[in-house]
Amino acid sequence: TRDFLATLAGTPDAWKLALEPRDATLRAQVAVIDITGKGSAVTQVEIVEQDGDRSVMDSVARPLRAP
């Protein structure tokens, strides 16, 4: 993407998307944003700061409901 270097790993059933900031100002604060998931559901978002601190948000995967 324009703002992040994106790296996707895993399988459709268990995947991880790593986003590394391209902007030097943001990169000085944030090392990487890791988004993990199963199928179409995001299960975790982790923001890793340059100083080693991290913030983690876990999500309970729920199946998509038909409209």
Side-chain angles (χ1 to χ4, degrees):
T1 68
R2 187 182 84 208
D3 298 317
F4 294 90
L5 173 63
T7 305
L8 182 61
T11 67
D13 292 327
W15 51 267
K16 181 177 181 178
L17 176 62
L19 301 173
E20 296 180 52
R22 293 185 188 270
D23 178 72
T25 303
L26 181 56
R27 194 171 53 244
Q29 298 295 317
V30 176
V32 65
I33 300 169
D34 287 326
I35 303 169
T36 57
K38 294 180 180 182
S40 62
V42 171
T43 57
Q44 186 179 77
V45 177
E46 178 180 16
I47 301 170
V48 181
E49 298 178 20
Q50 290 292 357
D51 64 4
D53 284 351
R54 63 190 190 108
S55 298
V56 179
M57 179 180 68
D58 290 316
S59 175
V60 175
R62 296 183 185 170
L64 296 175
R65 288 190 253 171

